[in-house]
Amino acid sequence: GAVVSQHPSWVICKSGTSVKIECRSLDFQATTMFWYRQFPKQSLMLMATSNEGSKATYEQGVEKDKFLINHASLTLSTLTVTSAHPEDSSFYICSAREDRNQPQHFGDGTRLSIL
Amino acid sequence: QQPVQSPQAVILREGEDAVINCSSSKALYSVHWYRQKHGEAPVFLMILLKGGEQKGHDKISASFNEKKQQSSLYLTASQLSYSGTYFCGTELYGGSQGNLIFGKGTKLSVKP
């Protein structure tokens, strides 16, 4: 149980393109979903937290207009990187959890490469 | 507020034991432990919620001290599959929406 599916696994695209990443909880309802960014050999950095039906809460330094998050249902959240540039290249990982006393379960991550 | 993990790296022979520590300057609501292999997403190992709690499965266990500021992960009779980077994720009391703050990680390498 507790499976989180993230798509796509990798994306390569040109600078200026917008990229959408999907995160789905397959066998549980996720009241909260989280989006992280991870650079090579570094820790997970939280970008934003989203609850179903409400606006996402962004961490300090994360541009809301660049990283659009939508949490339309209890099983789906999307992250759209708008007008992506090479510095946005990274490993993006989502996680989802049922409630506060449950663990966060991670998707497999999306490796984004902007040329 | 990032928790401090130690050691940063450890190399073991198969069958040896290891301990990874995670410390916070403030009392924690919970501690979560994850293992991440290169190029993959983190995999959940354990969550600790109560002070003085100890739990485990197979040969991996963890403890949470009474003050809820320190947690340790114990790996006994290590196997090759234990290799990876271990992260503790900590949640503060009153933290925003129960966000986890992750330590910098401990890289564990198990050699044959």
Side-chain angles (χ1 to χ4, degrees):
Chain A
V3 178
V4 175
S5 173
Q6 186 174 340
H7 291 282
S9 298
W10 56 270
V11 179
I12 302 173
C13 57
K14 293 181 180 179
S15 187
T17 307
S18 291
V19 178
K20 180 186 277 190
I21 303 169
E22 286 191 354
C23 181
R24 294 179 185 270
S25 57
L26 298 185
D27 51 2
F28 66 99
Q29 292 190 325
T31 55
T32 311
M33 287 187 169
F34 305 86
W35 288 95
Y36 295 87
R37 185 172 181 177
Q38 187 177 34
F39 291 105
K41 297 185 180 180
Q42 293 191 20
S43 188
L44 297 147
M45 299 303 298
L46 181 66
M47 297 175 67
T49 303
S50 72
N51 291 296
E52 183 261 342
S54 60
K55 289 185 179 180
T57 302
Y58 290 81
E59 294 299 299
Q60 194 171 9
V62 177
E63 298 177 58
K64 299 179 183 181
D65 295 332
K66 182 160 191 63
F67 298 100
L68 301 178
I69 291 171
N70 183 273
H71 194 156
S73 74
L74 283 171
T75 59
L76 173 64
S77 176
T78 60
L79 167 67
T80 301
V81 184
T82 61
S83 187
H85 292 287
E87 59 267 27
D88 298 323
S89 299
S90 190
F91 190 48
Y92 293 86
I93 317 174
C94 73
S95 71
R97 70 169 188 197
E98 200 166 359
D99 62 53
R100 193 181 186 190
N101 292 337
Q102 298 298 319
Q104 291 186 25
H105 295 282
F106 285 85
D108 286 337
T110 298
R111 193 161 302 281
L112 177 63
S113 299
I114 308 298
L115 305 176
Chain B
Q1 292 181 348
Q2 184 178 36
V4 177
Q5 269 187 252
S6 63
Q8 291 184 345
V10 60
I11 299 174
L12 298 175
R13 291 285 182 191
E14 236 180 325
E16 292 181 337
D17 302 339
V19 180
I20 301 171
N21 299 303
C22 177
S23 297
S24 170
S25 58
K26 296 183 178 181
L28 301 168
Y29 179 83
S30 66
V31 175
H32 303 227
W33 285 97
Y34 293 84
R35 176 173 59 217
Q36 185 178 30
K37 293 185 181 282
H38 181 68
E40 300 179 8
V43 173
F44 169 73
L45 295 175
M46 228 161 302
I47 179 173
L48 297 128
L49 294 163
K50 300 176 183 177
E53 183 177 18
Q54 295 185 55
K55 59 168 56 172
H57 57 83
D58 293 332
K59 295 176 181 176
I60 300 176
S61 61
S63 63
F64 200 9
N65 74 344
E66 288 288 346
K67 289 186 176 181
K68 300 184 75 176
Q69 288 182 259
Q70 183 173 9
S71 177
S72 295
L73 184 71
Y74 306 92
L75 306 162
T76 58
S78 59
Q79 305 167 18
L80 294 176
S81 61
Y82 286 4
S83 292
T85 300
Y86 290 77
F87 292 100
C88 66
T90 57
E91 181 180 352
L92 295 172
Y93 281 98
S96 175
Q97 300 185 71
N99 297 345
L100 293 181
I101 305 169
F102 286 89
K104 292 186 176 181
T106 296
K107 185 175 181 179
L108 177 71
S109 301
V110 181
K111 309 288 186 185

